[in-house]
Amino acid sequence: MQRASRLKRELSLLTTEPPPGITCWQHEQQLGNLRAQILGGADTPYEKGIFNLEILVPERYPFEPPKIRFLTPIYHPNIDSAGRICLDVLKLPPKGAWRPSLNIPTLLSSVQLLMAEPNPDDPLMADISSEYKYNKQLFVLKAKEWTAKFATQ
């Protein structure tokens, strides 16, 4: 019951006051199955890209974090080829920083921030991480190529 009322409230907030560059909606009329789009930030390799995400909200939400993954391929040290995201707020403590006070708009804003500012010290993709650290020009070039190939309409 708590999950349903909270999700309805969060979806309403996402509709009326969405964070800049983020949209989110219910998928196939299933309450716990959401989709989101994040626009690539200006002055990032993902600029002008539209990235689709899947959000699966567990029965125990808000006591358990939603599972969020990219459906659009993205070249990023913290996002793997299956779209999984390495971000502390998406995991329960002790390894993660999820708290029931967090919500879906906040999580999507955190993912958007991670896109703009990768964390190469906690990578899912070691090769992309070392490229980001030691050959940033090549990383930016590849990230822009992937954005053009997969994330533009």
Side-chain angles (χ1 to χ4, degrees):
M1 194 64 193
Q2 187 169 7
R3 171 183 176 243
S5 60
R6 176 146 166 188
L7 266 177
K8 285 189 174 98
R9 195 169 59 243
E10 288 182 24
L11 280 169
S12 164
L13 188 66
L14 278 160
T15 305
T16 56
E17 302 169 41
I22 296 173
T23 52
C24 184
W25 63 94
Q26 207 171 319
H27 183 65
E28 295 178 348
Q29 303 306 308
Q30 295 174 358
L31 189 59
N33 189 348
L34 310 176
R35 291 292 183 269
Q37 278 188 337
I38 296 180
L39 302 179
D43 303 320
T44 73
Y46 312 107
E47 189 170 11
K48 295 190 173 81
I50 299 171
F51 297 87
N52 294 302
L53 293 88
E54 170 186 72
I55 304 164
L56 300 175
V57 184
E59 289 297 328
R60 290 186 27 84
Y61 181 79
F63 303 105
E64 216 174 275
K67 292 190 179 354
I68 302 179
R69 72 181 185 98
F70 275 77
L71 298 173
T72 305
I74 181 171
Y75 194 80
H76 194 286
N78 307 105
I79 303 161
D80 72 10
S81 54
R84 292 178 302 223
I85 305 163
C86 183
L87 186 62
D88 60 352
V89 292
L90 295 176
K91 293 181 260 182
L92 284 168
K95 288 190 183 303
W98 171 257
R99 296 182 314 279
S101 58
L102 294 171
N103 60 27
I104 291 167
T106 306
L107 289 179
L108 289 171
S109 295
S110 298
V111 170
Q112 187 181 44
L113 182 64
L114 182 70
M115 287 170 68
E117 297 174 23
N119 178 3
D121 298 323
D122 189 18
L124 265 180
M125 304 297 282
D127 52 337
I128 298 176
S129 175
S130 61
E131 194 175 272
Y132 180 82
K133 280 180 169 174
Y134 306 113
N135 192 348
K136 190 115 177 230
Q137 275 183 303
L138 183 62
F139 164 79
V140 168
L141 183 73
K142 287 184 183 177
K144 283 181 175 178
E145 283 174 3
W146 278 49
T147 300
K149 184 174 179 182
F150 300 112
T152 51
Q153 305 303 329

